[in-house]
Amino acid sequence: MSELTALLIERLAPLAPVAVDVTDDSAKHAGHAGNSGGGHLSAKIVSNAFSGLSAVARHQAVYRLVSDLMPDRLHALSLTLKTPEELARAAAPPSPASAA
């Protein structure tokens, strides 16, 4: 785990995530225009803190926790944000009535 990945996971603690999966995509983006050398991370975060929040409000909640890292240490952050219930619904097989 990279230092930046560990730092991101640490910063997410106030959201009390049920699950966090962070991928460092920096190697795919090395040297592109506008990159000041900061990392490119993708994060999938599952948290009850997202309940009742719009997609925009969820993103804002995460970005508030990491804004001081951008753009120098963290150049880009791709987010997938779900509640535990949303994750469970996505994993559940379709009911027979809805498959018809």
Side-chain angles (χ1 to χ4, degrees):
M1 177 182 312
S2 75
E3 179 185 332
L4 184 57
T5 299
L7 181 58
L8 177 64
I9 292 170
E10 178 183 313
R11 291 291 186 87
L12 297 172
L15 297 174
V18 175
V20 177
D21 179 29
V22 179
T23 305
D24 189 337
D25 301 321
S26 299
K28 296 183 213 174
H29 300 279
H32 78 71
N35 187 351
S36 60
H40 286 244
L41 300 181
S42 297
K44 296 176 184 173
I45 307 163
V46 180
S47 174
N48 285 310
F50 299 140
S51 293
L53 298 180
S54 69
V56 170
R58 293 174 186 199
H59 280 74
Q60 289 171 334
V62 172
Y63 280 112
R64 271 192 296 275
L65 298 172
V66 300
S67 63
D68 65 308
L69 301 176
M70 300 181 92
D72 298 323
R73 295 190 66 192
L74 182 58
H75 177 73
L77 180 59
S78 174
L79 297 171
T80 302
L81 309 172
K82 296 192 179 294
T83 65
E85 294 78 19
E86 291 167 340
L87 187 65
R89 278 196 304 267
S95 67
S98 65

